[in-house]
Amino acid sequence: MANRRGTKRTHARIARRYLARRLEILRAAGNQFRVAGFAETGMRDIAAAADLSPSNLYNYFQGKHELLFFCQDLTLDRLIAALEKARCLRASAGEKLRLVIVSHVRCVLDEVEGSAAHLLTSSLPPRLQRPLVAKRDRYEEGVRHLIAAGVRTGEFTPCDPALATRAILGALNWTVRWFNPGGTLTATEIAEGFADYLIRGLLTKPTSLRRSSRAREQQRPGQKLHSRIVRNLAAAARLSER
């Protein structure tokens, strides 16, 4: 029995190390995708960025598509986990939606550098796209239900929950296009600012939006942050029309 437990611990430790290395490679690949673009980045480029030989890299990923799938699948799992956590809270619809928005932005900007590649779903072959689209739809449906619940209770103004959800998720996903890790705003400040700005537009009583003391401390320069968000959303809208 003791040997069996020891074997399980050994396997678990090996699995953790393997996952940690894959995440390191993902971060390195994410940087390469940002700089050179997905199509122009080769496995040799990723291996060099990750300080691996090309042959060693193939022990972790068989190709760019597998790496990109891992990136998107991991990001979606984290988004869904945050959504489930929010749904289980004994809190208002606004507070639940705040947790989802903050978790979403921090996930795509902060937790895994390569998660910026989550917008490249169309670069994957159909067999890899299908499970990702299913998870994405599940996540979107969950956010839509949160908004619909807020409308039913009167906390949110009457609206089309599907349209509101797509507007919110579109704004959050676009942050990976303009976020600069060395810029004036941190990922946390952007996450909190987006939560304020987007949720306030849904509330029947905007003054009911409650925030933690820590969040208030982080977001004191709110007017500056909101004006930055407005400019970036406007820029995103102009680009999408081209």
Side-chain angles (χ1 to χ4, degrees):
M1 182 65 71
N3 287 339
R4 186 177 299 173
R5 285 198 297 269
T7 300
K8 287 183 178 179
R9 284 196 294 269
T10 299
H11 287 328
R13 187 165 57 249
I14 293 172
R16 286 194 298 270
R17 283 203 300 263
Y18 181 76
L19 176 59
R21 194 65 177 116
R22 292 189 102 199
L23 289 172
E24 290 174 4
I25 295 169
L26 182 57
R27 292 186 181 98
N31 283 325
Q32 289 298 115
F33 293 158
R34 285 179 186 273
V35 172
F38 179 77
E40 289 75 18
T41 300
M43 289 294 279
R44 286 185 175 276
D45 300 319
I46 296 170
D51 196 24
L52 289 171
S53 68
S55 59
N56 198 4
L57 175 61
Y58 282 96
N59 290 326
Y60 297 94
F61 295 101
Q62 292 302 304
K64 283 195 305 180
H65 287 153
E66 184 180 331
L67 193 154
L68 183 58
F69 175 85
F70 173 70
C71 164
Q72 296 173 347
D73 193 50
L74 181 66
T75 299
L76 284 165
D77 282 345
R78 292 182 175 185
L79 294 179
I80 290 171
L83 173 64
E84 292 303 317
K85 180 180 179 181
R87 291 172 63 178
C88 293
L89 286 179
R90 288 191 173 184
S92 67
E95 289 169 319
K96 291 180 179 181
L97 187 56
R98 165 175 284 280
L99 174 60
V100 169
I101 289 174
V102 170
S103 297
H104 189 117
V105 175
R106 294 197 64 174
C107 182
V108 299
L109 297 186
D110 226 10
E111 295 182 8
V112 181
E113 179 70 23
S115 62
H118 81 286
L119 293 179
L120 296 169
T121 307
S122 59
S123 299
L124 291 171
R127 65 179 179 81
L128 294 179
Q129 284 190 39
R130 284 190 288 271
L132 294 176
V133 170
K135 283 188 178 182
R136 185 199 65 194
D137 290 348
R138 174 185 163 194
Y139 176 67
E140 183 177 319
E141 182 181 15
V143 177
R144 187 168 70 244
H145 287 168
L146 284 183
I147 294 175
V151 172
R152 286 196 301 271
T153 61
E155 183 181 348
F156 292 160
T157 57
C159 66
D160 181 342
L163 186 61
T165 297
R166 287 170 183 156
I168 289 173
L169 296 183
L172 302 184
N173 288 336
W174 195 259
T175 58
V176 302
R177 297 292 194 188
W178 55 262
F179 176 64
N180 177 9
T184 58
L185 297 175
T186 67
T188 297
E189 288 173 331
I190 291 170
E192 294 288 352
F194 264 73
D196 277 354
Y197 189 77
L198 295 170
I199 296 173
R200 187 170 285 117
L202 288 172
L203 293 171
T204 54
K205 298 178 181 179
T207 55
S208 67
L209 183 62
R210 295 188 298 173
R211 308 177 58 195
S212 68
S213 58
R214 182 180 180 185
R216 285 196 299 269
E217 182 66 24
Q218 290 170 333
Q219 288 303 112
R220 280 180 179 169
Q223 292 300 319
K224 177 181 177 182
L225 181 60
H226 285 162
S227 64
R228 170 74 178 274
I229 291 172
V230 170
R231 289 197 301 271
N232 283 308
L233 288 176
R238 288 195 298 272
L239 287 171
S240 65
E241 291 173 356
R242 292 178 181 177

